[in-house]
Amino acid sequence: MDFKFDIIIHYLPVLFKGTMLTIGFSIVSIIIGSILGLGIGFGKMAPRWYFRWPFHLYINFFRGTPLYVQILIVHFGVVPPIYGKTNALISGVVALSLNSAAYSAEIFRAGIQSIDRGQKEAAISLGMSSRQAMRFIILPQAIKRMVPAFGNEFIVLVKDSSLMAIVAAPEIMYWSNTMKGQYLRIWEPYLTAALIYFILTYSLSKLLNYLERRV
Amino acid sequence: MEPIISVKNLHKSFGANTVLTDINVDIYSQEVVVVIGPSGSGKSTFLRCLNLLEQPQSGEIIIEGISLMNKSTKINDIRTELGMVFQQFNLFPHKKVIENIMLAPIQVRKWSPEKAREKALQLLQKVGLSEKAEMYPASLSGGQAQRVAIARALAMEPKIMLFDEPTSALDPEMVGEVLAVMKDLAREGMTMIVVTHEMGFAREVGDRVLFMEQGIIVEEGSPEQLFGNPTQERTQAFLSKVL
């Protein structure tokens, strides 16, 4: 089998740009997704069912339908009426953030609920408000337990961002597909894409291991 | 004399399961009231109702003239006057011993960190753990952890201390050190309500003993009366098992 490195080299500049976009998509989406997810997670823990219900529905919709479908809905259904036309970058950030928010919400909820009831009881029996108990006692302990799950979610997000190629967001997969179309080659474009994703996620998991030991 | 805590017709149930039935008791300032009874008799639930860790279904709890059942009562303010010590200690594992003690005075009482630290060090000395101030709770023995928990509750300068089986989770050799701290407190005139299985403590330190079974106060009296000459058959049956 002849493996043509020259076509990879030819595509390196755009693959690099694509990689930057993939990283950008993932970072922005994990940040927006976590902030939304925190709110949704708290919403799902509301004492009354009619407050919980919309958050419950949100989480189940985004976890229960394929990201592929969500991207298409956001790209062709949600973004154009608001933005005026389609835009792959906006769609990418919106779809990935909304999707990641659903998973983050469950990570937050599970983390918070994993803290022993006695911790909150001790805090409020000292006269702290529920808010103070959450801030000083429960969240600091819960966040520590959430780190591994969040790391995992981040890695999944990096890989899932490859689906943005279907709406022509110029990230790694988009350029690999273009490369395949131009040269009618299979191994060079797809192995290169796989290698880039692997380097991204592997470095990320190393970084997360380090962080886990630190907190 | 006005009671510091007055409980009237208190009822508590978890779903269909009734845990407390028509509890009536007055507790006076500086009194040490010990609550005994078999497991599941509702004694811990009774204690937890007093600072509304459990919400009773009906009845009245009045602490220093303020009704807890009144919707406009700020329960957080009442809780600052009621220190609570738990069976499982419930220390904050992510905070050092001294931070465990300082946190609530700073956040709730709005003390300066200097004042809170001074108070915390003083209390650690009182419970004999000055050298553990900068340690994390994980490095403490059960007896030490419970003494820190007592210091933490005392840091809020409460008027009343509630103890929920404070020695039940301890290895036998550590029970004594915790009871010693509690005896000191009683001697200083702290109002205390103690749920316990330590009959020796009840006898020695209690001013009054309540015997509970199946959610009611079956009998109450001085330790001499209750242990020496119980009038109720159920009290006699319980005491014959534990003494």
Side-chain angles (χ1 to χ4, degrees):
Chain A
M1 190 181 95
D2 66 327
F3 195 86
K4 296 191 171 160
F5 284 100
D6 54 326
I7 64 174
I8 298 171
I9 290 164
H10 182 61
Y11 260 82
L12 266 187
V14 285
L15 280 173
F16 179 75
K17 276 193 206 162
T19 306
M20 289 299 120
L21 185 65
T22 293
I23 294 172
F25 263 154
S26 309
I27 291 176
V28 173
S29 303
I30 194 93
I31 291 170
I32 299 177
S34 311
I35 295 167
L36 286 177
L38 185 63
I40 295 164
F42 274 118
K44 207 191 166 195
M45 287 185 283
R48 292 177 202 283
W49 71 268
Y50 44 87
F51 284 127
R52 270 198 311 267
W53 189 71
F55 300 101
H56 181 76
L57 205 67
Y58 179 96
I59 292 170
N60 279 292
F61 174 78
F62 279 95
R63 288 201 312 183
T65 56
L67 178 58
Y68 189 93
V69 178
Q70 294 163 18
I71 290 169
L72 294 175
I73 292 175
V74 168
H75 187 64
F76 295 112
V78 178
V79 172
I82 299 168
Y83 184 66
K85 54 183 190 227
T86 60
N87 180 306
L89 297 182
I90 296 177
S91 304
V93 168
V94 171
L96 288 173
S97 300
L98 292 181
N99 183 271
S100 144
Y103 288 93
S104 303
E106 286 295 82
I107 295 172
F108 276 120
R109 187 190 56 76
I112 287 167
Q113 290 184 342
S114 76
I115 303 300
D116 183 67
R117 258 190 77 77
Q119 291 289 305
K120 183 176 183 185
E121 288 182 352
I124 64 174
S125 76
L126 289 163
M128 284 189 223
S129 62
S130 291
R131 188 183 287 262
Q132 285 174 322
M134 183 56 75
R135 178 172 154 207
F136 296 112
I137 306 304
I138 299 169
L139 269 186
Q141 296 182 58
I143 284 171
K144 218 171 163 172
R145 293 192 192 175
M146 292 172 197
V147 169
F150 253 113
N152 196 40
E153 169 59 18
F154 198 11
I155 287 171
V156 169
L157 194 67
V158 169
K159 294 188 293 175
D160 279 358
S161 72
S162 62
L163 282 168
M164 294 314 300
I166 52 168
V167 295
E171 44 67 76
I172 300 170
M173 268 332 280
Y174 172 85
W175 290 115
S176 306
N177 281 329
T178 313
M179 194 165 151
K180 179 204 159 223
Q182 184 179 351
Y183 295 104
L184 299 174
R185 305 277 306 178
I186 303 298
W187 290 99
E188 290 84 354
Y190 292 143
L191 271 187
T192 309
L195 181 68
I196 298 173
Y197 281 113
F198 179 77
I199 292 169
L200 287 181
T201 54
Y202 189 73
S203 346
L204 193 54
S205 70
K206 284 284 166 209
L207 179 72
L208 288 162
N209 280 343
Y210 172 75
L211 278 178
E212 258 176 64
R213 281 196 307 269
R214 284 287 302 274
V215 291
Chain B
M1 195 170 69
E2 277 288 298
I4 191 166
I5 298 179
S6 184
V7 178
K8 295 190 177 81
N9 311 111
L10 189 71
H11 284 260
K12 170 70 189 170
S13 50
F14 293 107
N17 183 18
T18 301
V19 189
L20 296 175
T21 310
D22 199 25
I23 301 289
N24 289 283
V25 64
D26 284 337
I27 288 155
Y28 294 88
S29 188
Q30 306 212 330
E31 203 178 11
V32 177
V33 175
V34 180
V35 186
I36 61 170
S39 304
S41 58
K43 51 196 195 306
S44 283
T45 305
F46 163 66
L47 198 71
R48 290 161 59 83
C49 283
L50 297 179
N51 63 358
L52 293 196
L53 285 184
E54 303 293 352
Q55 187 74 41
Q57 264 68 36
S58 66
E60 186 57 276
I61 302 170
I62 295 166
I63 294 181
E64 294 200 289
I66 300 167
S67 161
L68 299 199
M69 304 301 276
N70 189 332
K71 288 268 178 269
S72 62
T73 299
K74 290 205 174 106
I75 183 62
N76 292 346
D77 294 344
I78 307 281
R79 283 185 182 136
T80 61
E81 305 299 337
L82 294 158
M84 182 143 190
V85 176
F86 299 86
Q87 183 176 354
Q88 299 297 338
F89 330 135
N90 295 346
L91 292 181
F92 307 134
H94 60 304
K95 296 204 170 287
K96 291 177 181 171
V97 163
I98 191 147
E99 294 168 339
N100 263 272
I101 303 172
M102 290 164 64
L103 183 68
I106 292 173
Q107 296 301 335
V108 180
R109 291 258 193 248
K110 306 295 175 198
W111 288 4
S112 69
E114 294 74 35
K115 183 178 175 191
R117 174 170 290 271
E118 197 181 322
K119 177 81 184 176
L121 289 172
Q122 186 193 324
L123 286 167
L124 278 175
Q125 190 171 16
K126 183 186 171 98
V127 300
L129 290 170
S130 299
E131 77 284 2
K132 301 287 183 188
E134 302 299 326
M135 308 267 227
Y136 281 90
S139 64
L140 303 178
S141 71
Q144 291 169 338
Q146 195 60 298
R147 285 187 281 155
V148 171
I150 293 172
R152 179 177 68 177
L154 289 174
M156 290 296 287
E157 302 185 332
K159 298 204 175 84
I160 303 157
M161 285 287 284
L162 309 175
F163 291 86
D164 188 5
E165 302 198 24
T167 58
S168 298
L170 298 177
D171 291 336
E173 74 271 22
M174 291 171 184
V175 170
E177 60 192 70
V178 171
L179 292 181
V181 170
M182 292 168 63
K183 282 175 198 166
D184 280 347
L185 267 183
R187 214 171 295 132
E188 289 164 19
M190 176 64 80
T191 309
M192 294 163 62
I193 306 175
V194 185
V195 171
T196 189
H197 294 288
E198 292 295 327
M199 298 302 149
F201 177 86
R203 217 174 226 173
E204 187 185 339
V205 187
D207 295 312
R208 190 147 51 110
V209 181
L210 308 183
F211 170 66
M212 284 183 74
E213 195 180 65
Q214 290 176 347
I216 60 170
I217 297 176
V218 175
E219 185 168 356
E220 65 169 287
S222 69
E224 296 76 35
Q225 261 175 303
L226 200 117
F227 289 113
N229 197 10
T231 56
Q232 299 291 319
E233 216 170 287
R234 287 200 267 173
T235 317
Q236 291 161 5
F238 175 74
L239 290 175
S240 72
K241 270 183 250 167
V242 297
L243 291 181

